[in-house]
Amino acid sequence: MARKSTNVTHNPHLVKLPERLERNQHKSGVMWFTGLPGSGKSTITTNLERRLFAEGYQVSIIDNELVREGLSSDLGYSHEDRTENIRRAGEVAALLSRAGRIVLSGFIAPYRRDRETAREAAEEGFHEVFLNPGAEVCESRDSGRLYEQARAGSIPDFTGVSAPYEEPLSPELIIDTGVVSVAETIDLLVGYIDTEFRL
Amino acid sequence: MARKSTNVTHNPHLVKLPERLERNQHKSGVMWFTGLPGSGKSTITTNLERRLFAEGYQVSIIDNELVREGLSSDLGYSHEDRTENIRRAGEVAALLSRAGRIVLSGFIAPYRRDRETAREAAEEGFHEVFLNPGAEVCESRDSGRLYEQARAGSIPDFTGVSAPYEEPLSPELIIDTGVVSVAETIDLLVGYIDTEFRL
């Protein structure tokens, strides 16, 4: 992407990240959930946020709905637009992380390169979590009947049917949400976060 | 702008804004600072953040530097690109506000329509603050020698010299930062926020 922004004045902020972390009593960072439609991203991120909030964490979700309805409402579903959508999502996640928060990011984000861009934006504290119950389980769930519509051709470029999904090569976590229950997955993730985001 | 995002699944989040506000013990919202280059946006927002943080507020700055270096790094300074930059900034401000934070937004944002777009994105709790010491004072400060370079023609489309600035018609606050000192301005704004963001 061409860098066009220039003549940006440097104005250092006076409240630094370590102070924010000290107040929050935990590190900040991005838990980036990826997986096929039906892999459990929404269920896991919303229930995990509930648990983390109850435990006192400063936590936010960013997901496709949130971003597509505002920041990315000008984008469609071509490869180029998906890439730009994930680039923006990664920048927002990084920005929330720099504000001291734990970000739970739930996007299909089918392209490996795009997820790497999000990791680079975060700079540190980025944890990629691959929810992988397998393609058949994902399609068999099909709660919103999206796979059905995609198979019928009424949704074009549907990841897992008519658009590719590139599996992560070295995610921090892989969870088979076809076998591990929601409650178990949440427990596992809370344990991981209690450790990884300890000051 | 054409709306291209479709087929967005609705996944309600389980932690609602009122819970966040209850924990933070203050309302969330956007303090949107606008004014010519040299009007004091950076000085005021950085010092205000320092004070609000010390008082226990959940507060973030978003400014041109932050946005241009990441989210808007693909944009230049044409009217169209400035509009898109402020649209994105407004969406990010809204997102931080919905996460329970007070957002101090410092952008020249020279077009009235663009600031209205930011207000609409925030939905509520949006306060426009016009820092207005007058154009001559702004140019006489010229700390980064940007006005000088703009007058010499080496910075094109410079607001106040070679690009327009549309003054707010009905901002929540107007502060003449040529007369009111930085310390007085901060005191005034902290008083305003203590009142307006009280739960």
Side-chain angles (χ1 to χ4, degrees):
Chain A
M1 186 195 59
R3 172 65 182 269
K4 295 186 189 166
S5 284
T6 53
N7 291 319
V8 178
T9 315
H10 185 57
N11 299 298
H13 295 180
L14 302 177
V15 183
K16 309 296 185 187
L17 181 57
E19 284 180 275
R20 297 187 188 275
L21 304 187
E22 184 61 35
R23 174 168 298 171
N24 295 344
Q25 283 296 298
H26 60 78
K27 288 185 191 168
S28 63
V30 180
M31 295 287 290
W32 187 280
F33 292 85
T34 178
L36 285 169
S39 60
K41 297 182 298 299
S42 296
T43 303
I44 299 304
T45 53
T46 54
N47 284 284
L48 180 58
E49 182 184 45
R50 178 77 270 171
R51 268 283 293 280
L52 293 174
F53 183 81
E55 294 199 8
Y57 282 98
Q58 291 285 339
V59 59
S60 288
I61 290 178
I62 60 165
D63 57 21
N64 207 43
E65 181 179 8
L66 196 73
V67 172
R68 288 271 179 190
E69 304 232 316
L71 191 60
S72 291
S73 56
D74 57 324
L75 301 174
Y77 293 86
S78 67
H79 188 150
E80 188 184 22
D81 278 6
R82 281 179 195 259
T83 291
E84 175 61 10
N85 182 48
I86 297 301
R87 187 190 73 81
R88 293 184 195 172
E91 292 291 349
V92 169
L95 197 145
L96 286 161
S97 172
R98 272 181 237 125
R101 306 183 72 79
I102 296 178
V103 186
L104 310 180
S105 158
F107 294 87
I108 299 172
Y111 299 108
R112 218 169 268 147
R113 182 74 204 96
D114 296 349
R115 296 191 302 264
E116 286 308 307
T117 301
R119 185 186 289 272
E120 286 156 19
E123 289 177 357
E124 55 181 316
F126 187 95
H127 306 256
E128 188 175 15
V129 185
F130 180 27
L131 301 182
N132 186 24
E136 284 180 27
V137 170
C138 290
E139 184 155 356
S140 71
R141 288 171 172 168
D142 203 18
S143 58
R145 300 181 66 187
L146 296 174
Y147 277 96
E148 189 184 316
Q149 293 174 66
R151 293 276 174 213
S154 55
I155 304 177
D157 299 323
F158 189 83
T159 300
V161 174
S162 46
Y165 179 79
E166 298 175 359
E167 296 197 352
L169 295 180
S170 53
E172 274 73 4
L173 288 173
I174 304 177
I175 304 174
D176 181 345
T177 49
V179 174
V180 186
S181 72
V182 172
E184 287 168 330
T185 301
I186 300 301
D187 284 344
L188 182 158
L189 288 165
V190 170
Y192 180 85
I193 287 166
D194 283 343
T195 304
E196 291 294 326
F197 291 78
R198 184 175 295 159
L199 262 193
Chain B
M1 186 197 61
R3 171 66 182 271
K4 295 185 189 167
S5 284
T6 53
N7 291 319
V8 177
T9 315
H10 185 56
N11 298 300
H13 294 181
L14 302 176
V15 183
K16 309 296 185 188
L17 181 57
E19 284 180 274
R20 298 186 188 275
L21 304 186
E22 184 62 34
R23 174 167 298 172
N24 294 345
Q25 284 296 298
H26 61 79
K27 288 186 192 169
S28 64
V30 180
M31 296 286 291
W32 188 278
F33 292 85
T34 178
L36 286 169
S39 59
K41 296 182 298 301
S42 294
T43 303
I44 298 304
T45 53
T46 54
N47 284 283
L48 180 57
E49 183 184 44
R50 176 79 270 170
R51 267 284 291 280
L52 293 174
F53 183 82
E55 294 198 8
Y57 282 98
Q58 291 285 339
V59 59
S60 288
I61 291 178
I62 59 165
D63 58 20
N64 207 43
E65 182 180 8
L66 196 72
V67 173
R68 288 272 181 189
E69 304 231 317
L71 192 58
S72 291
S73 56
D74 56 324
L75 302 174
Y77 292 86
S78 66
H79 188 149
E80 187 184 22
D81 279 7
R82 282 179 195 260
T83 291
E84 175 62 9
N85 183 47
I86 296 302
R87 188 190 73 81
R88 293 184 194 173
E91 292 290 350
V92 169
L95 196 145
L96 286 161
S97 172
R98 272 181 238 127
R101 307 183 73 79
I102 296 178
V103 186
L104 310 180
S105 157
F107 293 88
I108 298 171
Y111 299 108
R112 218 169 269 145
R113 182 73 204 97
D114 296 349
R115 296 191 301 265
E116 285 310 307
T117 301
R119 185 186 290 273
E120 287 156 19
E123 289 177 359
E124 54 181 318
F126 187 94
H127 306 255
E128 188 175 14
V129 185
F130 180 27
L131 301 183
N132 186 25
E136 284 179 27
V137 171
C138 289
E139 183 155 356
S140 71
R141 287 171 173 170
D142 204 17
S143 57
R145 301 183 67 187
L146 296 174
Y147 277 97
E148 189 183 315
Q149 293 175 65
R151 292 276 173 215
S154 56
I155 303 178
D157 300 323
F158 189 82
T159 300
V161 174
S162 46
Y165 179 79
E166 298 174 359
E167 295 196 353
L169 295 179
S170 52
E172 274 74 3
L173 289 172
I174 304 178
I175 304 173
D176 181 346
T177 48
V179 174
V180 185
S181 72
V182 171
E184 287 168 330
T185 300
I186 300 300
D187 283 346
L188 183 158
L189 288 165
V190 170
Y192 180 86
I193 287 166
D194 283 343
T195 303
E196 293 293 327
F197 291 78
R198 184 175 296 159
L199 262 193

